[in-house]
Amino acid sequence: MATPVYIRTKQSIYVQPLAKIRLQDVARVTGQKRHKPVLEQMVLHQVTEDDQNIVVIDSFMIIEQVIEKFPELEVELIGPNQCVVHVEKHQKQPSPLLISAIWVLLFIGAAMAIMNFHYDVSMQAVQQKLHFMLTGEKVEHPLWIQVPYSIGLGIGMILFFNHWFQKRFNEEPSPMEVEIFNYQEDLDHYVAIKENKVEKQDVDR
């Protein structure tokens, strides 16, 4: 009777250039204790310069290599069908001048977007009318409304993105983090199909 081994593939991992990708790097293994240490240390792929920055480890490749080494095992796969391996290249630290220029550009862009939105909805006229309704006086700049509104706008943005520099207010992810996560998942899914060596072999046949 074949001995079952359960392998749960990870969605994606990050490795250094020229690293050896072992089974324990791309998946979790459970089953017979005598097989587990050997399986976890089994090398699936050696990263080379030709791999550039992405390698796809297909579950079919894992099954092939496990059965070739341990034909008596029955492999049960759980989780994703591919693991996308991102090869982290050594990058230079960006200069403070470049960071400052990008920060100023984003700040000006955000300020222009907010001002154009307020102009489109006639925010100043609304605040002037609100002041008139509450006080019976007409003024051009009702500062007692505009100043708290501006402060509240900034505080609202901070609470919305759930960050103050590196500080997080709670464990809930911000909308930006959710969008980045969804983008990364879509990217990994695309790469898993387009850069999959097993899929390419099927196309070439």
Side-chain angles (χ1 to χ4, degrees), residues 48-102:
T48 63
E49 294 291 342
D50 295 335
D51 292 323
Q52 298 182 359
N53 63 334
I54 288 178
V55 179
V56 177
I57 303 297
D58 192 271
S59 57
F60 189 75
M61 296 167 54
I62 297 175
I63 294 174
E64 273 190 327
Q65 296 194 38
V66 171
I67 292 178
E68 183 179 351
K69 194 165 187 178
F70 300 99
E72 74 278 7
L73 295 181
E74 179 183 342
V75 181
E76 295 285 345
L77 281 173
I78 305 171
N81 292 324
Q82 301 92 8
C83 177
V84 180
V85 180
H86 299 271
V87 182
E88 295 183 305
K89 302 291 185 181
H90 297 291
Q91 298 180 349
K92 295 181 179 179
Q93 291 292 333
S95 66
L97 182 62
L98 179 62
I99 294 176
S100 300
I102 294 174

Side-chain angles (χ1 to χ4, degrees), residues 50-165:
D50 295 335
D51 292 323
Q52 298 182 359
N53 63 334
I54 288 178
V55 179
V56 177
I57 303 297
D58 192 271
S59 57
F60 189 75
M61 296 167 54
I62 297 175
I63 294 174
E64 273 190 327
Q65 296 194 38
V66 171
I67 292 178
E68 183 179 351
K69 194 165 187 178
F70 300 99
E72 74 278 7
L73 295 181
E74 179 183 342
V75 181
E76 295 285 345
L77 281 173
I78 305 171
N81 292 324
Q82 301 92 8
C83 177
V84 180
V85 180
H86 299 271
V87 182
E88 295 183 305
K89 302 291 185 181
H90 297 291
Q91 298 180 349
K92 295 181 179 179
Q93 291 292 333
S95 66
L97 182 62
L98 179 62
I99 294 176
S100 300
I102 294 174
W103 186 89
V104 170
L105 183 64
L106 292 175
F107 179 82
I108 294 174
M112 291 296 295
I114 293 172
M115 288 189 293
N116 287 331
F117 167 76
H118 285 165
Y119 180 79
D120 288 340
V121 299
S122 302
M123 182 61 71
Q124 184 174 3
V126 171
Q127 292 173 342
Q128 290 172 348
K129 189 171 183 179
L130 181 61
H131 175 82
F132 177 75
M133 291 171 60
L134 295 174
T135 65
E137 298 178 358
K138 290 185 177 181
V139 294
E140 186 177 358
H141 300 291
L143 297 179
W144 70 278
I145 296 177
Q146 293 176 340
V147 172
Y149 172 80
S150 300
I151 296 173
L153 185 65
I155 294 175
M157 293 296 291
I158 292 173
L159 295 176
F160 179 75
F161 286 104
N162 195 26
H163 271 85
W164 174 253
F165 293 99

